[in-house]
Amino acid sequence: MRTSTGSGEEHRGLPVLALSALSLIWGYNWVVMKEGLRFCGPFDFAALRVFFACICLFGLLLWKRRDIAPRQVKMTILVGFLSTTLGLGLPMWALVYGGAGKTAILLYTMPFWAILFAWPILGERIKGLEWVAVVLAFAGLVLIIDFQAVGGKLWSSVVAVISGMAWAGSAIVTRVMRRSPEFDLVSVTTWQMIFGAAPLLVIASLVPAPPIQWTGIFIAALVYNILLTSVLAFLLWFYVLQRLRAGVATMGMLAAPVIAVICAAAQLGEIPSLRESIGMVLILAGISLLSILAIVKSRPAS
């Protein structure tokens, strides 16, 4: 009897452990990317990361014996542009001038943009406490972004917010694609990255940047982004979604930007000001509220 109970608790604990590992991988990666940018231009880094990740994900598609032909091609290209070209390229650009923790928090405003975009596109009106979450998010943005700053500092914050918008846009398009019976998440995820990689490779070839310094730190940062952030995190996320409700999974991912802020402070010496700290807390509070509301909505009616 004990063995059976213990086994059940173990199986229930594995998705939580996977979610914790995923948050740690994604959270610490902001420091990894910031370190890697010391030896490589932002678009070169993004292009290399995505190119090799595409190879790994395509291999995963073959391993799972899925149909390798892309589906819903036009929509997948749009997702690739929003999620990969902008969603991965812009944060790297933002990190050149902005702090790792601050950039992570601004990118994670994505849920707020998603519910705003879902209103006109999907007809999902913002209701009740969702308005509170939106207000918290915008109040946090006003505090974090220094609108009196000039040059790279202000531009970094703007680019980070735009990347969050692009990420939200890709989520909305994906939800539209899910309505089709031919939708396959593994195929779409792989092909959107392939389609999104092409513009990144073009941008990397056109934007002037110093030659890549193939140091041990840069190689380690690149390997981390390819194998851990892209491939392992991809597998962990599918595992988590299969065993936890989407709202619970989203709530667990709140740890990623928090880890980014803590690691950036400890390793890079990026200590947020009081104003930025309050803004970060407000944004995280808003995301928490949205996640709780998603959990409540996902519960079956008794």
Side-chain angles (χ1 to χ4, degrees):
M1 197 66 181
R2 287 183 180 177
T3 304
S4 175
T5 304
S7 176
E9 291 176 354
E10 179 182 357
H11 286 303
R12 285 194 296 272
L14 286 176
V16 176
L17 183 62
L19 184 60
S20 301
L22 182 60
S23 299
L24 183 61
I25 290 171
W26 277 347
Y28 185 64
N29 189 46
W30 291 94
V31 172
V32 173
M33 291 189 294
K34 185 72 175 181
E35 293 281 21
L37 285 174
R38 292 192 292 143
F39 309 98
C40 180
F43 295 108
D44 289 337
F45 194 123
L48 285 170
R49 167 190 178 181
V50 171
F51 176 78
F52 288 107
C54 285
I55 295 175
C56 294
L57 289 176
F58 195 77
L60 178 64
L61 193 65
L62 293 175
W63 175 64
K64 294 181 75 68
R65 297 181 180 178
R66 303 290 181 92
D67 182 6
I68 62 172
R71 307 177 182 185
Q72 300 171 276
V73 176
K74 292 181 180 179
M75 298 288 275
T76 304
I77 291 174
L78 179 56
V79 172
F81 178 72
L82 293 172
S83 181
T84 298
T85 306
L86 299 182
L88 294 181
L90 291 182
M92 298 300 297
W93 193 13
L95 279 173
V96 173
Y97 302 104
K102 181 177 178 178
T103 304
I105 292 289
L106 292 175
L107 176 68
Y108 272 82
T109 57
M110 172 268 193
F112 307 107
W113 303 117
I115 64 172
L116 289 176
F117 296 162
W119 190 345
I121 298 174
L122 302 178
E124 298 178 359
R125 297 179 63 87
I126 303 174
K127 300 177 182 178
L129 291 176
E130 290 178 339
W131 279 112
V132 177
V134 171
V135 171
L136 287 172
F138 281 103
L141 281 175
V142 170
L143 290 174
I144 290 180
I145 299 177
D146 184 2
F147 293 97
Q148 295 181 342
V150 293
K153 187 176 180 181
L154 176 59
W155 182 243
S156 169
S157 297
V158 172
V159 169
V161 173
I162 293 174
S163 64
M165 292 180 177
W167 185 14
S170 70
I172 297 297
V173 176
T174 302
R175 287 183 60 185
V176 174
M177 294 174 68
R178 282 179 179 272
R179 298 171 179 174
S180 170
E182 64 176 344
F183 178 81
D184 181 271
L185 189 56
V186 177
S187 175
V188 169
T189 302
T190 301
W191 278 104
Q192 68 83 17
M193 185 168 285
I194 292 173
F195 290 138
L200 271 181
L201 292 170
V202 173
I203 294 171
S205 65
L206 295 178
V207 175
I212 299 174
Q213 302 176 47
W214 293 92
T215 64
I217 293 177
F218 174 71
I219 294 173
L222 189 60
V223 170
Y224 185 103
N225 273 266
I226 296 168
L227 297 182
L228 295 184
T229 306
S230 298
V231 179
L232 179 59
F234 172 78
L235 296 174
L236 287 174
W237 183 241
F238 274 104
Y239 175 78
V240 168
L241 287 180
Q242 288 173 352
R243 288 161 177 81
L244 295 176
R245 293 195 303 273
V248 176
T250 304
M251 187 73 175
M253 285 310 301
L254 273 176
V258 176
I259 291 171
V261 172
I262 294 173
C263 292
Q267 186 169 334
L268 304 176
E270 296 178 358
I271 309 299
S273 66
L274 177 60
R275 173 175 170 163
E276 290 175 333
S277 298
I278 296 174
M280 291 177 182
V281 170
L282 289 175
I283 288 175
L284 291 173
I287 300 174
S288 300
L289 178 56
L290 285 180
S291 300
I292 292 171
L293 293 174
I295 293 173
V296 172
K297 288 181 180 179
S298 66
R299 287 177 179 173
S302 55

